[in-house]
Amino acid sequence: MNSTRSQTTCAIFGNPSTLKDTVLPTYADVMRYCQKSIQTCDKLPIVEFQKIETTLPLIDKEDLSSDQKYLLDMVIAITTGDCPTTLANRNPGILCHSRWLTTANRILRLYVSTEKPTKELELMVTYVMKVYAPSWFEIKKTPKVTFGARHLHSMIKKSLFLPEKYKCVVFDAIQRNSYYAHSENVLLAMLEDDRPHIRELGLRRILKARSNESPTQEIRQFDLPALNFKGEEYFNMISWEKPLEPPATLKLSTEEIKRLIENGSELLDVIKLPCHTQAVERHIKMVTEASAAVCGEKARDGFIRSRQESRKRWLEIFP
């Protein structure tokens, strides 16, 4: 068989991968090389790179983990166009399919070590700089579930810079995961909005939802709404033809809601839950480590329990 391609350029990083001379590259081949590039990126020297501007929320670094601090410092470095040696020598975190944060860290680290990045790599880095990292730190700063709809809308607005073919991909993913655009979650956000007229509007829409809802013993279906990606405000992302009341406000009587409207719609502390799944991801990491270290359900359970107990004792010694 004649050779079809001796070298294949990685679609993301532009480097030739090691493929057999007699076969065309498969997706698995390309990703295998890309993953290798990311895994070894922290060993590469820093080169002159094009800075990419972004805007980050003010956040206390003391509240961040080492991986989170790395992302913050690397974003600042790329914004200023200067990556100090101390940052280059730091560990960007273990690459794990369940942890996007360290993957983003390594993509940025690879960028500052690539003299001639491909357009695809530049686009990925720009997305991390303008969408992923700012959104991540905004969620870290305001983690309550009542901010979920605002965070989702913010991600949509931040993604508008993308070329149309990539924007369609991103918007399709956002649509499939538009749980925080459901009227229940948007109403929660409206009740804790800083603007009194938005809080009043949220209360009135709850009254509308109650008037439209017929008594039933059936479990209510949670259907993802069709998003309006051109909405200027988070409460304009969806249609309000048939809003559903959030379960957290069912404790409020109709009379109480009317009183709140009459008294100026005071800021409500409706529910105290996080809008993210960081705790879940933390346990996914622990289960992944246990699976790599031991075999069997009992062994994994023992590994996890001993790790948790060890951390608990360390916190008692070094609070």
Side-chain angles (χ1 to χ4, degrees), residues 53-234:
E53 295 183 356
T54 190
T55 303
L56 295 175
L58 294 175
I59 193 165
D60 186 2
K61 287 188 70 172
E62 297 302 318
D63 293 336
L64 303 179
S65 68
S66 57
D67 291 341
Q68 296 161 10
K69 289 178 182 177
Y70 187 96
L71 177 63
L72 178 63
D73 292 339
M74 187 58 74
V75 169
I76 294 173
I78 295 177
T79 302
T80 59
D82 177 34
C83 182
T85 305
T86 53
L87 176 57
N89 292 335
R90 281 163 55 184
N91 185 355
I94 299 173
L95 187 63
C96 178
H97 69 276
S98 62
R99 302 191 68 214
W100 290 12
L101 177 67
T102 53
T103 302
N105 285 348
R106 289 179 172 273
I107 289 174
L108 297 185
R109 178 63 178 84
L110 182 64
Y111 174 73
V112 299
S113 295
T114 306
E115 291 185 355
K116 295 181 180 180
T118 62
K119 291 182 179 180
E120 289 78 11
L121 176 57
E122 288 181 344
L123 183 62
M124 289 179 64
V125 172
T126 303
Y127 187 83
V128 172
M129 292 288 293
K130 292 185 178 295
V131 183
Y132 178 80
S135 298
W136 202 100
F137 290 114
E138 285 173 2
I139 294 171
K140 182 71 175 180
K141 184 177 181 179
T142 51
K144 286 185 64 177
V145 69
T146 48
F147 283 86
R150 279 176 271 190
H151 291 320
L152 180 65
H153 182 258
S154 177
M155 289 183 66
I156 293 174
K157 301 292 286 185
K158 288 181 174 68
S159 301
L160 292 176
F161 79 94
L162 289 167
E164 197 62 35
K165 64 176 181 178
Y166 297 118
K167 191 190 302 180
C168 292
V169 175
V170 171
F171 282 2
D172 185 52
I174 292 176
Q175 176 62 69
R176 292 196 309 270
N177 295 275
S178 58
Y179 300 98
Y180 277 112
H182 193 279
S183 58
E184 294 180 3
N185 293 318
V186 176
L187 284 171
L188 286 177
M190 295 176 73
L191 294 182
E192 290 199 24
D193 198 291
D194 294 332
R195 297 163 290 183
H197 68 283
I198 301 300
R199 297 199 297 271
E200 179 180 341
L201 180 60
L203 291 169
R204 293 188 181 279
R205 284 180 174 170
I206 289 176
L207 292 178
K208 178 183 177 181
R210 290 186 178 184
S211 64
N212 293 340
E213 196 168 357
S214 56
T216 179
Q217 297 298 321
E218 296 181 0
I219 298 176
R220 188 165 61 184
Q221 190 74 25
F222 189 97
D223 295 320
L224 294 179
L227 292 180
N228 171 23
F229 289 97
K230 296 181 180 180
E232 289 298 321
E233 290 274 9
Y234 67 88

